[in-house]
Amino acid sequence: GCSPNGRRRDVLASSLLIGWNDAMANRLPMPASHSDQLAAVTLEARNQLTSIQGYVEMVEEELAGTSPQVLADLASIRAAGDRLTELVASLEEEVANARNLASVDPLTGIANRRAFFARAESLFATDEAACLILLDVDKFKHINDHYGHIVGDEVLRAVVERFQRAVRDRDMLARLAGDEFVLLLPGADYDVAMAVASRLRQKVTREPVHTSVGLVPVTVSMGVAERNDETPKINDLVERADIAMYNAKRTGRNRVA
């Protein structure tokens, strides 16, 4: 007959090695986002791996008077555990990639709209001072229409590179949509933000952008807004900066307001 420990070992082996696919197919929740789904799969894999490791430890305790069959079982379980470890590592990499894609603008490599609002809302949960610069490439539609969208993309990447060389590590530059960008300046007051915006504008307009079709002159219009009692939410601050930016455009473009 089979001992209680032997029966327990057989049940565990069946559960771990055969039940894995069932766990993946039937028991996992299906969250809305891809990254959340991958995270759930990774968690299930980690749980399964823990069970396998526990089983291996139990078998090792029985090795004193073991049979060749037990040794073979142990080798199989260890192999399954090693394979599962590889799967977990692969899934964790996929989760990291998916979450990166969810927060990064694929064209420019900077934060996207979603990541910007997540960071800004965290800042607004504190009392820290902050300013926001909203900026827009002047006559960008003309650039796309005249030179083509590939060149338009080259212009946007070049503008972002010039911005990145002029901002602090703690500042957050993000692409909101199209040719509209936002720069969040934690701890800055209005005068500091205006100086930053003026410096950025000069860096962009100082020389044309080198593109695949030659030099393309580029200017930008910027609007600056400071966090205060009239802008209790990040959307209020963005709206205030948006009004200022369009004032800059109405008064001639290539300026800060």
Side-chain angles (χ1 to χ4, degrees):
C2 185
S3 70
N5 281 343
R7 286 194 297 271
R8 180 167 174 243
R9 184 171 62 243
D10 292 342
V11 170
L12 280 171
S14 297
S15 174
L16 296 173
L17 299 178
I18 300 173
W20 166 255
N21 287 335
D22 176 67
M24 294 296 99
N26 300 320
R27 293 206 302 271
L28 284 178
M30 300 293 285
S33 74
H34 181 55
S35 61
D36 287 344
Q37 182 177 345
L38 286 173
V41 172
T42 302
L43 178 60
E44 177 70 14
R46 284 258 177 233
N47 291 337
Q48 293 285 330
L49 180 57
T50 299
S51 297
I52 287 177
Q53 290 169 334
Y55 171 73
V56 171
E57 291 174 1
M58 183 190 73
V59 173
E60 286 174 338
E61 293 175 358
E62 300 179 357
L63 283 180
T66 192
S67 66
Q69 183 60 48
V70 173
L71 292 174
D73 289 346
L74 180 58
S76 297
I77 297 302
R78 279 180 173 165
D82 291 343
R83 175 55 181 155
L84 191 51
T85 300
E86 294 175 2
L87 291 173
V88 169
S90 177
L91 288 168
E92 287 172 338
E93 183 178 354
E94 289 296 323
V95 169
N97 290 338
R99 286 180 170 163
N100 183 62
L101 289 174
S103 62
V104 175
D105 173 55
L107 176 65
T108 62
I110 61 175
N112 61 15
R113 183 185 187 93
R114 173 182 174 179
F116 164 72
F117 277 102
R119 165 81 181 279
E121 287 169 1
S122 295
L123 186 146
F124 267 64
T126 72
D127 295 328
E128 185 176 4
C131 282
L132 187 143
I133 302 172
L134 196 64
L135 48 112
D136 187 271
V137 178
D138 294 327
K139 298 183 178 180
F140 184 69
K141 184 178 184 302
H142 169 75
I143 293 174
N144 270 338
D145 292 344
H146 186 74
Y147 298 102
H149 289 277
I150 292 177
V151 173
D153 289 347
E154 293 172 357
V155 166
L156 293 181
R157 284 194 290 265
V159 168
V160 166
E161 288 173 3
R162 294 179 185 185
F163 286 153
Q164 288 178 312
R165 291 197 293 266
V167 300
R168 305 170 300 176
D169 289 340
R170 67 180 305 208
D171 300 332
M172 184 178 196
L173 178 65
R175 184 184 182 196
L176 291 187
D179 61 321
E180 188 173 76
F181 298 87
V182 64
L183 179 63
L184 182 66
L185 303 171
D189 61 21
Y190 184 78
D191 291 339
V192 169
M194 285 293 289
V196 170
S198 296
R199 185 171 71 250
L200 290 174
R201 187 193 64 79
Q202 292 171 4
K203 283 189 173 292
V204 171
T205 61
R206 184 174 299 160
E207 60 183 33
V209 171
H210 292 265
T211 74
S212 56
V213 298
L215 298 177
V216 176
V218 178
T219 63
V220 292
S221 296
M222 301 186 181
V224 178
E226 183 178 18
R227 182 185 183 186
N228 54 37
D229 293 339
E230 297 179 357
T231 55
K233 297 180 180 180
I234 182 58
N235 286 333
D236 300 322
L237 192 61
V238 171
E239 182 178 358
R240 184 68 60 87
D242 189 57
I243 292 171
M245 184 184 71
Y246 278 97
N247 284 338
K249 285 187 174 292
R250 281 195 295 268
T251 54
R253 296 187 177 90
N254 190 25
R255 61 193 63 206
V256 178

